[in-house]
């Protein structure tokens, strides 16, 4: 229905993931964690802001629960 389309747009998942990962780099560096991202172009239709929040929560948890000197990919 019309309400299901609210907030949906076409964007590249890679660019969103890179932006979110970059925002978590200072926290990863403080813990000496290797935070990497390997993702090709990935066009996606969805809610940009919810996806950005989801990725941020995932990386937040990964940084919080990865031991110092660890690796997140």
């Amino acid at each position: 229905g019309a309400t299901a389309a609210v907030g949906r747009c076409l964007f590249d998942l890679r660019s969103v993931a890179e932006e979110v990962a970059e925002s978590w780099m200072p926290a990863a560096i403080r813990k000496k964690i290797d935070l990497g991202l390997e993702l090709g172009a990935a066009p996606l239709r969805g809610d940009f802001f919810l996806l950005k929040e989801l990725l941020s929560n995932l990386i937040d948890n990964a940084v919080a629960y990865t031991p110092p000197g660890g690796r997140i990919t």
Side-chain angles (χ1 to χ4, degrees):
T3 56
V6 172
R8 291 177 167 256
C9 59
L10 184 62
F11 55 90
D12 182 30
L13 176 60
R14 177 179 57 188
S15 64
V16 178
E18 287 173 346
E19 179 184 334
V20 172
E22 188 175 311
S23 72
W24 283 99
M25 285 302 254
I29 290 169
R30 279 193 298 275
K31 286 185 70 178
K32 297 182 177 24
I33 293 173
D34 178 13
L35 175 57
L37 177 66
E38 295 178 23
L39 180 64
L44 179 68
R45 181 172 302 277
D47 189 311
F48 175 83
F49 295 104
L50 287 178
L51 181 67
K52 195 171 175 180
E53 185 175 348
L54 174 126
L55 290 172
S56 186
N57 286 339
L58 286 172
I59 296 175
D60 177 28
N61 285 336
V63 170
Y65 295 105
T66 298
R71 185 174 179 203
I72 301 169
T73 56

